[in-house]
Amino acid sequence: MSLAQAQPSPVKLTARDAPGQPEPTAALAQLYRGFEQEMLVPLWTEIGGLMPAHPKSQAAAHLWRWDNLLKLADEAGRIVPVGRGGERRAIALANPALGGRPFATPTLWAAIQYLMPGEDAPEHRHTQHAFRFVVEGEGVWTVVNGDSIRMSRGDFLPQGGWNWHAHHNAASQPMAWIDGLDIPFAYYTESQFFEHGRLHLDPQERATPEFSRSERLWAHPGLRPVAHLQDSPSTPLLAYRWVDTDRALTEQLALEAEGCAATVSPGHAAVRYTNPCNGRDVLPTIRCEMHRVTRGASTLPKREVGSAVFQVFDGQGTVTVGERQWQVRRGDMFVVPSWQLFSAQCDADQPQLDLFRFADTPIFEAVHAYRVETP
């Protein structure tokens, strides 16, 4: 007796009297039993699910309120230690349509991380690409390959896979930020590696410099160090400061007011964080952007292949994702699943609505599967 005969088959096929299906007969039923025994599935019973007319995401549009996340993270800070084993006090967003897994979308992980005063998060590395984005707070330094990098409000700190990293809070107050990684993508493609590093940082790594070594080398617009002309799949610049992001958005809107074509659409400025080595995305699997919508303005409705996670950096407004609509404010986070129509509008009594966005677009561009539509 074969192994397939000895164990119940997970393949279950039912003959259906439906358009596009063969006529249900005893012979067809017997054929289906043979398919089940040999672990086979015919395309004609599955084509509607495998090849739909357009993407039908497993994820759902969902909103997480920052006030609630921060309250729970603070409680975890008093109860759950940080150390070897748990590694990080990171609390992941679990999309309600993904079966309770800690995934914001089928490809993206998003979490709030919380570090108490004087705490260190131990060193480790992983092949998953990551970033940190700070919506509020000051006082934590992330240490990447021995380089201490300040984390402040509005700063974006990318980190390519397989780099050693740890965190330390040099302040007298707790600090929270969001983590974004491609953990679900690595999980489903079975490509993940992880390694523990040191439990404690060296004294010189606990320094608190105004600018990291990576910034001193790479944070000069249009200027590249000749000693580092080789390409890099992930950005070598480990901190993109809010002062620069804010100035870029402000100037786009000022140029728009002067009649120049500088914005995405009227009242909608946007910048993309890029790798200074090649002008591409900061990380091979994650695209990161900051969007600013001015008082009363709206973004153009858009749907695209691939999923995205947003965090409201500042202001208040209304966001629409598919059939869902929410009033959002500072810190709130929400998911836009693949091929669901998205738009955002700034409230009329707010000067602007700033939205940080990260998406899995580079994955789909790499395999020539990306598509965007603005109805």
Side-chain angles (χ1 to χ4, degrees):
M1 181 179 292
S2 70
L3 181 63
Q5 291 173 322
Q7 297 178 349
S9 172
V11 177
K12 302 297 179 186
L13 302 171
T14 302
R16 295 184 295 112
D17 186 7
Q21 296 298 307
E23 180 184 354
T25 63
L28 181 65
Q30 185 176 359
L31 176 65
Y32 282 0
R33 300 297 81 74
F35 284 167
E36 292 172 352
Q37 181 174 314
E38 295 301 324
M39 302 294 292
L40 301 170
V41 179
L43 177 61
W44 63 80
T45 66
E46 303 293 325
I47 191 167
L50 294 176
M51 297 182 177
H54 56 77
K56 297 180 179 179
S57 180
Q58 297 179 47
H62 192 73
L63 173 74
W64 291 264
R65 294 292 185 191
W66 183 247
D67 290 347
N68 296 336
L69 296 179
L70 204 56
K71 179 180 177 181
L72 291 168
D74 182 65
E75 187 174 352
R78 290 182 284 105
I79 298 173
V80 182
V82 171
R84 191 97 291 162
E87 295 294 306
R88 301 289 187 262
R89 192 183 290 110
I91 306 160
L93 309 186
N95 192 290
L98 296 180
R101 297 209 66 88
F103 300 161
T105 82
T107 53
L108 298 173
W109 160 289
I112 178 174
Q113 188 169 160
Y114 202 78
L115 205 60
M116 300 294 284
E119 279 189 327
D120 290 347
E123 186 181 62
H124 64 212
R125 64 178 178 175
H126 41 72
T127 48
Q128 296 90 337
H129 302 291
F131 70 81
R132 283 159 280 286
F133 178 72
V134 185
V135 73
E136 56 189 341
E138 180 95 23
V140 167
W141 266 253
T142 185
V143 183
V144 180
N145 296 326
D147 192 5
S148 294
I149 306 149
R150 172 175 53 88
M151 295 171 58
S152 303
R153 172 167 162 75
D155 292 346
F156 168 69
L157 300 98
Q159 176 205 295
W162 212 235
N163 285 284
W164 294 110
H165 58 284
H167 313 308
H168 69 95
N169 188 343
S172 59
Q173 297 294 324
M175 183 172 166
W177 64 91
I178 67 165
D179 291 335
L181 295 93
D182 58 1
I183 289 175
F185 174 71
Y187 176 82
Y188 285 123
T189 55
E190 299 178 342
S191 58
Q192 64 272 60
F193 291 86
F194 179 92
E195 187 175 340
H196 290 300
R198 298 163 300 166
L199 186 59
H200 301 290
L201 295 171
D202 294 334
Q204 63 269 25
E205 292 175 308
R206 297 181 59 82
T208 55
E210 179 68 13
F211 296 106
S212 63
R213 295 197 300 267
S214 80
E215 292 170 89
R216 293 166 62 190
L217 187 61
W218 287 98
H220 309 288
L223 301 174
R224 184 170 180 179
V226 175
H228 295 271
L229 294 179
Q230 66 273 23
D231 200 355
S232 171
S234 298
T235 177
L237 177 57
L238 302 180
Y240 294 67
R241 298 299 178 189
W242 172 245
V243 62
D244 301 315
T245 307
D246 180 51
R247 183 167 58 244
L249 294 168
T250 299
E251 291 298 340
Q252 283 188 23
L253 291 165
L255 287 166
E256 177 190 76
E258 296 167 15
C260 298
T263 54
V264 179
S265 60
H268 175 198
V271 292
R272 180 174 299 166
Y273 301 97
T274 58
N275 183 340
C277 290
N278 50 38
R280 294 194 289 267
D281 289 291
V282 286
L283 299 169
T285 54
I286 302 176
R287 174 164 295 169
C288 300
E289 298 173 336
M290 180 66 77
H291 294 251
R292 174 168 293 168
V293 186
T294 57
R295 188 190 311 272
S298 300
T299 65
L300 294 175
K302 183 171 73 171
R303 62 169 63 98
E304 55 191 313
V305 168
S307 55
V309 179
F310 285 77
Q311 183 171 41
V312 181
F313 178 66
D314 211 355
Q316 297 183 49
T318 302
V319 296
T320 303
V321 184
E323 298 179 353
R324 305 295 302 275
Q325 188 174 85
W326 304 289
Q327 279 288 120
V328 295
R329 57 187 180 273
R330 176 168 160 167
D332 291 348
M333 302 181 69
F334 59 92
V335 160
V336 179
S338 183
W339 211 244
Q340 290 201 18
L341 201 63
F342 167 75
S343 64
Q345 181 175 18
C346 180
D347 285 352
D349 62 349
Q350 295 287 313
Q352 63 203 38
L353 174 65
D354 286 350
L355 298 170
F356 173 76
R357 173 185 184 270
F358 67 100
D360 51 18
T361 312
I363 298 171
F364 297 98
E365 288 182 339
V367 297
H368 304 284
Y370 179 70
R371 184 179 296 193
V372 61
E373 178 180 281
T374 303

